[in-house]
Amino acid sequence: MKRILGMGNALVDMLVQIPNDDLLNEINFPKGSMQLVDVAQSDAVMLKTQNMPVQQLSGGSAGNTVHGIAALGGQTGFIGKVGPDELGKFFHNDLKNAGISATFIESKNPTGKAIAMITPDSERTFATHLGAAVELSAEDLKPDMFAGYEIFHIEGYLVQNHDLLRQAMQLAKNAGAKISIDMASFNVVEENFDFLWEMVKKYVDIVFANEEEAKAFTGKEPLDALKQIAEEVDYAIVKIGEKGALIQSGAEIVEIEAVGTNVIDTTGAGDLFASGFLFGLLNDWSIEKSGKAGAIMAGKIISKIGGRLSLEEIVDVKNQINTLI
C-alpha cells in the first residue's frame, strides 16, 4: 500500500471547555484563531481554566491527520521534535500505539503544548506554546526520512519557519512524493502570504483550506478561491463548515455535503477531513469518494471532544466509507 508522511508541531493538546467568550475577551484572543504564547502566558491560561473540564491528547494538525489515516488502516510516518519530559513520552507512546512510524528529534526544552479553549458554540481558540516543536529545523531533516512515501503532508503552522518548510518540501520532492499542505489558520496565511504563495507555486500538489483561510489566501469567496488555488495544484480543497466542502482537480469540481451530526467540538475537524481525503488518494479513489470519506471522518470527530476516534467509532466510520460508491 502507498504510504504517507506527516510533519508538524509535536504538541500535546489540552482541550478545555469554557462556558462563554469572557475568557477569550479577557486575554484578547480572537475567537477561532491560533495564538502563539510563551511559557508564562501558557501557564496563566491554564491557571484561569483550572476548574474547567479538560482532556489531554497528543495533537498538532499533522499529527491528528496521520493518526486518522493510521486508524483507517493506512501506513503512516511522522516527523517532529519533543522534549525530554513526560509530555514528550506521552506523545511518542501515543503515535507508537497507533502504529505510526515516528521520527522524533529530541530537544533539551519542554514538549510543546496547545491549549484549545472550546466555547459552547463548538468553536475552538488555541493558546499554543510551541516549546521543543518550534526548534525543528532544516538541519534536522535528512533525505532518508522521506524515502518510500508517496505523499508528504505538512501543517500550515510550520509555514512560519521558512527554511524548514523549503527544505522539507525539496527533500520530499527529491524522494518522489506529492506534497500536501493544510493552511491551518487564517492569521498564519496573512502573516506569511508571499512565502506561502511561493511554496504553493513551486512545490505543492494538494491544498486544504477552510473558508477563512481560502479568503485570506486569495481574497475571494469559496468557489472562486477554489478555482484560483486549483490553477496551481493537482487537488484544491476548500472546506465550508456545515455546508461541506468544495474539491477541484483539473476541470472537475465536486461539492461534498457535510455529514449531519450534533456538533460538540470542532477540534480536529479539518485534520480528520484531510485524513479521509488523503486515505482515498492513497487508495486511488475518485475525488468525490475521497471527499465523502473526509466528510464522514469530520462528522464523526465533531460529535465528541478531542481529535481522536475510539475503536468503536473507527469501526462505524469504516462501515460508512465501505458503503460509498
Side-chain angles (χ1 to χ4, degrees), residues 25 30 42 73 105 111 157-158 163 196 233:
N25 295 330
S42 179
I105 298 93
T111 300
Y157 295 121
L158 295 186
D163 290 342
L196 189 52
V233 300

Side-chain angles (χ1 to χ4, degrees), residues 16-28:
V16 185
Q17 295 173 268
I18 61 177
N20 49 50
D21 294 358
D22 291 351
L23 175 59
L24 303 180
N25 295 330
E26 180 183 344
I27 62 179
N28 197 29

